[in-house]
Amino acid sequence: MNARVDRDLHMHTTFCDGKNTPEEMIRAAVDKGLSAVGISGHSYTFFDTSYCMQKEEVPRYLAELRYLRIKYFDRIHVLCGVEQDYYSDYPTDEFDYVIGSVHYIKAGEEYIPVDESADILNSAKEKYFGSDIYSLCEEYFATVADVVEKTGCNIIGHFDLITKFTEREPLFDTAHPRYVAAWQRAVDKLLGYDVPFEINTGAISRGYRTSPYPSADIIAYIKEHGGRFVLSSDAHSADAVAYRFEDFENLI
């Protein structure tokens, strides 16, 4: 595998919403010929515990990854990370690295998931944004713009996650001037931190999209303005580790 893409640092296990154990994911990474692998469990979110690591499980997660790092040290470098949601308040000090992600927008006292279903976004548009989907998109990207400051992350996760459903159920026009202006404002602010954006193939492996996050025009804009990238699979199962990296390595 090309040395530029010989690592995958975004994946989930049975400690959160993944299907395989950390060791099974590490073995898959070894089989793929990677030199480094990072497990990045979803951080604890107090308002939604359905998908994330539970508080009481985090010490066991850390201990297991330390053990596996030693067990596999002569085959692959194992890192213990966390995908820190913007609204998570769980400390990140004990993790090797942090992926900063926005999975929700907050409206009133409600946390609205942007990647659960198109119906949820449509309902939120009506309930909180005066039927204006672009106001919702602007709120999302305003939150994303602050993700490095809020999470202290080393990698910016799935920048335009809000487009997860647009290929199947177009909720908005990604060429609309307000949408474009919203993501450009977010990119412009984030570029100032010199933190890499991930090119994330997770929605492709799970059948939601045919192209990675972020979209091609956003990738081009980030490149033109000096931004950096890493490839990530966002794998939730062992068969999705380093998913289609060979098809997208040119993007980084």
Side-chain angles (χ1 to χ4, degrees):
M1 181 167 285
N2 189 305
R4 296 167 63 202
V5 290
D6 67 346
R7 60 197 58 209
D8 188 353
L9 302 180
H10 190 164
M11 58 185 67
H12 301 285
T13 70
T14 49
F15 275 98
C16 52
D17 59 349
K19 295 179 181 178
N20 291 94
T21 67
E23 185 160 17
E24 288 168 337
M25 301 297 275
I26 292 165
R27 285 177 180 168
V30 171
D31 291 342
K32 288 272 188 175
L34 303 186
S35 67
V37 61
I39 308 297
S40 54
H42 283 294
S43 61
Y44 175 77
T45 46
F46 67 91
F47 53 88
D48 182 0
T49 61
S50 63
Y51 75 105
C52 62
M53 293 192 290
Q54 305 306 300
K55 271 186 176 181
E56 62 273 13
E57 286 293 293
V58 175
R60 189 166 70 87
Y61 171 79
L62 290 163
E64 183 162 339
L65 267 295
R66 291 187 190 111
Y67 163 74
L68 291 169
R69 175 181 295 167
I70 295 168
K71 181 175 179 179
Y72 287 88
F73 83 96
D74 59 345
R75 282 173 276 180
I76 193 168
H77 183 50
V78 175
L79 292 165
C80 178
V82 64
E83 184 176 10
Q84 185 78 357
D85 183 76
Y86 182 90
Y87 289 107
S88 174
D89 58 4
Y90 195 90
T92 62
D93 308 31
E94 294 191 78
F95 301 102
D96 294 324
Y97 66 97
V98 177
I99 299 171
S101 295
V102 175
H103 299 96
Y104 305 87
I105 51 175
K106 191 175 182 185
E109 295 304 308
E110 186 177 352
Y111 295 88
I112 302 158
V114 300
D115 61 340
E116 195 166 312
S117 76
D119 288 342
I120 287 175
L121 291 176
N122 273 322
S123 295
K125 173 193 71 175
E126 299 299 326
K127 184 176 181 180
Y128 294 110
F129 295 93
S131 302
D132 182 359
I133 192 63
Y134 296 103
S135 289
L136 188 154
C137 293
E138 288 163 348
E139 179 64 25
Y140 168 76
F141 282 115
T143 307
V144 173
D146 195 43
V147 73
V148 176
E149 185 71 26
K150 180 68 160 52
T151 67
C153 62
N154 309 103
I155 299 169
I156 298 164
H158 39 56
F159 175 81
D160 56 348
L161 181 64
I162 198 167
T163 62
K164 179 176 179 178
F165 309 107
T166 53
E167 284 192 20
R168 291 180 174 183
E169 302 176 66
L171 298 171
F172 48 84
D173 178 6
T174 57
H176 192 284
R178 285 176 61 192
Y179 179 83
V180 173
W183 68 250
Q184 285 184 346
R185 285 192 297 269
V187 169
D188 291 345
K189 181 177 179 181
L190 291 170
L191 286 170
Y193 296 98
D194 193 29
V195 173
F197 295 75
E198 68 172 7
I199 293 177
N200 181 312
T201 63
I204 307 175
S205 65
R206 291 189 288 281
Y208 291 101
R209 291 170 58 105
T210 57
S211 60
Y213 305 112
S215 63
D217 53 342
I218 297 175
I219 291 172
Y221 185 89
I222 293 169
K223 281 186 176 182
E224 287 166 8
H225 292 80
R228 298 182 292 126
F229 297 98
V230 295
L231 269 174
S232 299
S233 70
D234 200 350
H236 285 63
S237 58
D239 60 348
V241 172
Y243 185 79
R244 288 186 59 185
F245 276 15
E246 65 280 2
D247 294 333
F248 302 108
E249 62 181 321
N250 63 303
L251 296 178
I252 64 170

